[in-house]
DNA sequence: TGATTTTGATCAATCGTTTGATTAAAATCG
DNA sequence: CGATTTTAATCAAACGATTGATCAAAATCA
């Protein structure tokens, strides 16, 4: 269908990396083009040259988010398993890999703050990422949930339930400062991510068991 | 201990209201003092007069967040019920009122976007709100959880579990654009908030039941 | 009246963008 | 092939616009 988007190279890639990091850290408006250029070890004018301007760099960062998440969590095309046990297994595996990716992967590190701000401002980037990433993944999870519990995949209840599952996971990243503070953690590394993933998996199984009975 | 903070009045209150809304909507740096003053129907210089500057207005907005949430969800002082059923009932009631407050209350509407940005930037405001609101509420919820399940209130597992409960709730507000889009909702009003609250309450009971068995 | 609050004007600093010059590699030509 | 032209990329410098802050004067209040 669509070609796999190629990773940017050279100065353009450096600018995107710096933009992703700084936009997420301080916000789009709070980050000056000069600061981005300095971080990317190039001249301010490069931004206008490569992306047409600051707003163009923002779009390029959004595209990079889609690209990175797509390569990291991209098995959307595979057929949804019909057997409940297989569906449950895939859900747990997805939850665990998403947890690891979102909380500890250095590739994902700048992505979450950036996207969080974009979702908050509700601009074009959000539309892009929603259509390319969020909805497909949510749909697949709903289908897996249906296969696991025998309920209808696209019913409002199923969709909300899947959101409650994803919400648990994402909060540990969005509210990371809160969590680490309250838990007394110095860092949120692989060990802590594993503990979180175990809890999320246990919650998943509890909710599935309840829904299967009804 | 500390006096109940009094609600601001007059021009200062108008500036705080405008600041809360605009800071949350577009971000602190993206909002100009002139824009805030115009929204509050006053002069730019009023900001410096009342709050010492833009940063002072930001602090005042943070204090207002604490004040509003404190008056809306503030029964921290009451003794934690010892009976499991009573503890469960309070947890469900808290979850439901938090859900209603956070998703539909016009008083809370500007608070979440504002705080979300402040948490992301991790500044002084976050420290303030964490100490005054987040940790006390989380502690109480942990104590309730302990009363309900017989587990230890301050164990890492309990603390994480409570975060997973809160995370479900907060995601429906943080990811509101995602949720409404995917659910096909025009708005997130009392009816939709009720549906969400019912689901969260059901999840709460499922998790409690599981933890009581172990 | 004296104290408090609001206002309009002005400041230096910083913003995103544009400009023309410069360089080196690629393409074209004789 | 060597000479020439074209192209892509980067740079320092400067642009007008906007930023937060400041202050004296005006207005309002008690």
């Amino acid at each position: 269908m669509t070609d796999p988007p190629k990773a940017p190279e050279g100065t353009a890639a450096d600018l995107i990396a710096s933009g992703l990091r700084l936009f997420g850290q301080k916000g789009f408006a709070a980050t000056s083009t000069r600061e981005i250029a300095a971080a990317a070890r190039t001249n301010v004018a490069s931004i206008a040259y490569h992306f047409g301007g600051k707003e163009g760099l923002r779009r390029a960062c959004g595209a990079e988010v889609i690209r990175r998440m797509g390569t990291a969590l991209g098995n959307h095309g595979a057929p949804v398993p019909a057997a409940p046990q297989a569906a449950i297994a895939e859900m747990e595996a997805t939850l665990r890999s998403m947890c690891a990716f979102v909380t500890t992967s250095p590739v994902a590190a700048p992505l979450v703050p950036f996207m969080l701000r974009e979702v908050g401002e509700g601009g074009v980037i959000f539309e892009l990422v929603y259509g390319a990433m969020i909805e497909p993944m949510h749909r697949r999870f709903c289908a897996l949930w249906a296969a696991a519990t025998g309920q209808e995949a696209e019913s409002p209840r199923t969709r909300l339930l899947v959101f409650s599952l994803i919400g648990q996971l994402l909060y540990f990243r969005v509210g990371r400062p809160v969590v680490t503070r309250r838990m007394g953690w110095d860092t949120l590394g692989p060990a802590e991510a594993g503990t979180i993933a175990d809890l999320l998996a246990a919650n998943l199984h509890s909710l599935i068991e309840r829904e299967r009975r009804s």
Side-chain angles (χ1 to χ4, degrees), chain A:
Chain A
M1 203 173 318
T2 52
D3 297 346
K6 52 188 177 297
E9 298 175 8
T11 303
D14 293 343
L15 284 171
I16 290 175
S18 299
L20 224 38
R21 184 170 52 85
L22 292 170
F23 288 158
Q25 220 164 74
K26 326 174 38 178
F28 178 77
T31 308
S32 72
T33 51
R34 288 168 176 82
E35 193 177 0
I36 299 170
R41 301 171 175 278
T42 181
N43 192 272
V44 244
S46 301
I47 297 174
Y49 177 78
H50 285 283
F51 307 103
K54 195 185 181 184
E55 200 66 44
L57 175 57
R58 178 190 222 166
R59 274 195 302 273
C61 288
E64 179 68 7
V65 170
I66 297 176
R67 198 191 63 80
R68 287 194 196 179
M69 298 198 98
T71 61
L73 310 164
N75 62 331
H76 304 191
V80 174
Q85 286 309 319
I88 294 176
E90 182 179 330
M91 277 196 282
E92 178 173 340
T94 303
L95 225 47
R96 286 184 181 277
S97 74
M98 277 187 65
C99 183
F101 178 67
V102 129
T103 57
T104 67
S105 164
V107 178
L111 271 47
V112 181
F114 176 82
M115 274 312 301
L116 201 57
R117 293 190 186 267
E118 291 296 333
V119 171
E121 302 186 16
V124 231
I125 310 292
F126 166 66
E127 308 288 331
L128 230 71
V129 175
Y130 177 85
M133 284 293 310
I134 301 177
E135 183 175 314
M137 294 194 66
H138 191 276
R139 284 201 116 89
R140 182 175 183 87
F141 226 94
C142 285
L144 289 168
W145 182 266
T149 64
Q151 301 190 339
E152 198 184 335
E154 286 296 319
S155 73
R157 179 175 177 81
T158 300
R159 284 187 281 192
L160 276 184
L161 236 157
V162 168
F163 271 130
S164 78
L165 289 172
I166 308 293
Q168 290 180 53
L169 164 58
L170 288 187
Y171 181 77
F172 284 100
R173 180 58 185 83
V174 172
R176 179 195 220 138
V178 176
V179 173
T180 53
R181 172 78 68 96
R182 178 76 174 108
M183 297 304 294
W185 289 344
D186 291 335
T187 60
L188 207 169
E192 291 81 8
T195 310
I196 294 174
D198 289 342
L199 175 67
L200 295 180
N203 288 0
L204 171 71
H205 286 107
S206 296
L207 296 185
I208 288 178
E209 193 180 339
R210 177 193 70 196
E211 294 294 312
R212 292 185 71 167
R213 281 201 293 260
S214 63

